[in-house]
Amino acid sequence: MTSATRRSLVAGIALVAGCAVTAACRASQSAGAADAPALNQTGENAPRTNLYACEGCEAIAERTASELPSRIALASVSEPGERLRLTGRVVQSDGVTPAAGVVIYAHQTNAAGLYAGGSEETEWSRRHGRLRGWVRTDAEGTYQIDTIKPGPYPSMTMPAHIHLFVGEPGRRPYYIDDVVFEGEFGVDVGYRERQELRGGSGIVRVRPGADGVLLARRDIRLERHPG
């Protein structure tokens, strides 16, 4: 076999392997693009056709909205891991008007990347583990969640993330882009390109706070609803 033939064969094998590795990513990106909002006649984002396609959104209704605070401790002080304070402001789909009374349901892995310690209360309390909770935005649309920084799955198939779901008064709930951490495992160029941008980007920057708690901000722009 000549050197030229050998180089051609190696290149062909590498191309096939690369296609196999990225096939799932391309499929995910295509699915996200199909669900992305189009522009309507006024040039604004039209509602997503699959806005309400949401596994786990039922968990929004597991607590009475009127009784929820705007700040919660999602992880107890005894939970292992780096302390993290996630804050943000929720605005209407116009990107300006504060959205009061919006329920945000959050759940995440522990520091080991596991949804551990769930209860038998509901299907979602079992599947989502003990690190879950609800807040309701205040009059200015703000919220705060005190928790720990989640770990990525042991399989390292996804970046470390916090799942977020929103329930607007009188509307069906939907999920928004996960909170993920800029500069960390998996949050790369490909991840940015695959974002659905539901509720805006979920990529956050983490900075140390004065009390040793890590600080992150995830502002949310509500989606337009079909119909």
Side-chain angles (χ1 to χ4, degrees):
M1 181 183 294
T2 66
S3 298
T5 303
R6 187 162 47 247
R7 287 196 298 270
S8 177
L9 178 59
V10 170
I13 292 172
L15 177 60
V16 171
C19 288
V21 169
T22 59
C25 292
R26 287 199 305 270
S28 174
Q29 184 174 359
S30 296
D35 189 28
L39 294 179
N40 60 23
Q41 292 180 349
T42 65
E44 299 174 337
N45 284 340
R48 298 175 192 269
T49 57
N50 295 333
L51 180 63
Y52 305 129
C54 177
E55 181 179 277
C57 272
E58 300 91 337
I60 283 275
E62 290 180 3
R63 296 294 184 271
T64 302
S66 61
E67 299 175 359
L68 296 175
S70 61
R71 300 181 177 186
I72 60 164
L74 187 150
S76 71
V77 294
S78 61
E79 183 70 34
E82 296 179 279
R83 308 306 301 183
L84 173 72
R85 179 168 299 137
L86 178 67
T87 61
R89 184 168 181 262
V90 182
V91 295
Q92 300 288 351
S93 59
D94 62 11
V96 177
T97 308
V102 174
V103 175
I104 302 171
Y105 170 66
H107 78 92
Q108 65 175 84
T109 63
N110 60 18
L114 302 173
Y115 298 111
S119 72
E120 293 301 312
E121 178 188 356
T122 67
E123 176 186 1
W124 304 112
S125 67
R126 292 190 297 272
R127 292 175 58 179
H128 292 170
R130 67 174 171 270
L131 296 181
R132 68 184 197 128
W134 298 255
V135 290
R136 183 170 177 259
T137 57
D138 62 17
E140 298 302 316
T142 64
Y143 72 94
Q144 177 175 307
I145 298 173
D146 288 316
T147 183
I148 57 135
K149 194 165 177 288
Y153 296 153
S155 60
M156 302 299 283
T157 53
M158 288 183 64
H161 57 281
I162 300 174
H163 294 291
L164 296 180
F165 304 79
V166 296
E168 304 171 41
R171 296 284 196 173
R172 293 173 62 183
Y174 54 91
Y175 73 86
I176 60 174
D177 279 20
D178 297 337
V179 172
V180 297
F181 305 98
E182 185 174 16
E184 299 197 0
F185 164 77
V187 186
D188 52 19
V189 172
Y191 186 94
R192 288 182 179 275
E193 291 176 347
R194 294 190 300 273
Q195 290 182 99
E196 290 186 72
L197 299 175
R198 284 178 172 242
S201 175
I203 300 175
V204 302
R205 295 181 179 179
V206 176
R207 59 185 177 86
D211 55 359
V213 175
L214 299 175
L215 304 177
R217 184 179 181 94
R218 196 332 184 170
D219 291 327
I220 298 167
R221 180 172 178 166
L222 297 175
E223 294 283 319
R224 297 188 66 217
H225 291 263

